Amino acid sequence: MIDAIDKEILRTLQADGRKSATALAAEVGLTVAPCHRRLKDLEASGVISGYRAIIDPAAVGLGFEALVFVTLARVDRPTIEDFEAMVVANLHITSAQRLFGDPDYILKVMAKDLSDYQQCFDNELTMLPGVQRVSSTLVMKNLKPGAGLPL
């Protein structure tokens, strides 16, 4: 069971996943040993599923972002499994959600520039298994990238 202290640990780590156990303990009002034990329990139970670096896309040459809406021709199990496997394997697609209603999926696609995105759209996205329709909109400004959960 996650209590108020665990939630405070999670809120703190969402803001700074590199915070030391000593600093984390001080911030949440614990000594190091119980804080470390709680942290290990949260990791072991899968509440904390991993840690990662947050990279500025423009700093690595990926300043072009599009939201892509995909409608499948069929929504049978083999089509969905094939489509989802190809989406997971595609490096341009950095986020994907299956939706209720139309469209069936929304994908976040990162590219170098418009030309790179056009190549991805024509040669990768429209070629995904079972695709009936693909449309996209370009992201003008990302106001809240990687926001944490509301704990």
Side-chain angles (χ1 to χ4, degrees), residues 18-27 30-32 35-36 39:
R18 294 187 68 183
K19 192 171 287 272
S20 72
T22 303
L24 179 62
E27 192 160 329
L30 293 174
T31 59
V32 176
C35 182
H36 190 262
L39 184 57

Side-chain angles (χ1 to χ4, degrees), residues 55-112:
I55 300 167
D56 177 7
V60 294
L62 295 170
F64 192 89
E65 181 177 344
L67 298 178
V68 179
F69 308 97
V70 179
T71 301
L72 299 179
R74 295 181 318 282
V75 288
D76 56 78
R77 184 176 302 276
T79 302
I80 290 169
E81 288 174 354
D82 291 346
F83 175 84
E84 290 181 357
M86 294 295 291
V87 164
V88 168
N90 188 302
L91 295 178
H92 282 105
I93 300 170
T94 61
S95 174
Q97 287 81 35
R98 184 174 178 199
L99 308 173
F100 282 108
D102 188 36
D104 296 310
Y105 291 87
I106 184 170
L107 314 175
K108 180 176 145 185
V109 176
M110 300 299 298
K112 294 176 196 161

Side-chain angles (χ1 to χ4, degrees), residues 32-55:
V32 176
C35 182
H36 190 262
R37 186 182 70 250
R38 283 176 177 262
L39 184 57
K40 291 300 172 193
D41 289 346
L42 290 166
E43 292 170 349
S45 68
V47 173
I48 296 175
S49 60
Y51 299 90
R52 65 176 54 191
I54 300 170
I55 300 167

Side-chain angles (χ1 to χ4, degrees), residues 117-136:
Y117 175 68
Q118 183 256 316
Q119 292 294 319
C120 175
F121 187 94
D122 292 346
N123 300 322
E124 298 173 33
L125 300 176
T126 61
M127 301 302 193
L128 290 168
V131 167
Q132 175 183 5
R133 185 174 68 248
V134 179
S135 64
S136 61

